Amino acid sequence: FLPQGNFLQDLLIDEGVAAIDALSRATLLQLLRNLGPLALPLTLPLNFLLGSGNPQRILSREDKESLLVLRRIVQLVDASRSNSRTEAAENETTDVLQTVQRLQRLQPLAQGLLPSITPGAASFAQRFARQLARRILLRLADDVERRASSALMMN
């Protein structure tokens, strides 16, 4: 991680922010579905922002694409986990002492890398948080603007 960032870090931030935004909106939509009539205290402010009683408008096409990418990543991770579990079950006789010795050999490497990674990781986290806050505020502003323009069209 470089403190000033690079293309890969920017890509990770962009995709991570989009995924978190999409997940939060999808979670809200799922909550509204599960609550049924009890969702009224939540749907009233959403109706004010979105301009209709249709909570489906919460998710944009980009949100749906981000959720699809996340679903595929989870499927890949689950597939690799199931493969590693099978291998681990076959290799249960692996000596724990050997594993500990290998980890001890990596300790100096980790101690040497930690000071060089920390500033970049902190910068990455700050940029991620700023971009997430920016995206949430922009989406909220778009929702309010859409509501206002649809109200003007009706008048």
Side-chain angles (χ1 to χ4, degrees):
F1 285 102
L2 299 173
Q4 65 273 18
N6 59 31
F7 175 74
L8 180 59
Q9 289 177 9
D10 292 341
L11 182 65
L12 289 172
I13 288 172
D14 290 342
E15 292 301 318
V17 164
I20 288 174
D21 183 38
L23 278 173
S24 64
R25 286 176 173 251
T27 302
L28 177 61
L29 188 58
Q30 187 65 37
L31 176 67
L32 294 176
R33 285 184 190 142
N34 290 340
L35 288 176
L38 298 175
L40 187 62
L42 293 174
T43 56
L44 289 176
L46 286 176
N47 289 344
F48 174 72
L49 288 176
L50 300 177
S52 75
N54 183 7
Q56 293 290 344
R57 291 182 58 188
I58 292 173
L59 294 177
S60 69
R61 181 178 179 177
E62 182 186 1
D63 292 331
K64 293 174 184 176
E65 290 171 359
S66 292
L67 292 171
L68 181 62
V69 167
L70 284 175
R71 187 174 298 122
R72 288 182 179 157
I73 290 171
V74 167
Q75 289 170 347
L76 288 172
V77 169
D78 282 345
S80 68
R81 264 196 229 153
S82 66
N83 290 340
S84 65
R85 284 185 200 140
T86 308
E87 292 171 8
E90 293 172 359
N91 297 328
E92 275 186 36
T93 59
T94 302
D95 189 11
V96 175
L97 183 59
Q98 287 179 346
T99 304
V100 170
Q101 289 172 345
R102 288 179 189 151
L103 289 173
Q104 286 175 340
R105 282 185 283 199
L106 290 176
Q107 184 180 4
L109 178 65
Q111 288 174 338
L113 284 177
L114 192 58
S116 63
I117 292 175
T118 304
S123 172
F124 180 88
Q126 288 174 347
R127 287 185 293 133
F128 188 91
R130 277 194 308 266
Q131 189 158 334
L132 180 60
R134 179 179 176 269
R135 181 181 176 101
I136 290 170
L137 291 173
L138 285 173
R139 294 281 306 263
L140 181 60
D142 287 344
D143 291 341
V144 170
E145 185 179 340
R146 189 178 327 117
R147 164 71 170 135
S149 64
S150 68
L152 287 174
M153 291 179 137
M154 295 178 86
N155 291 332

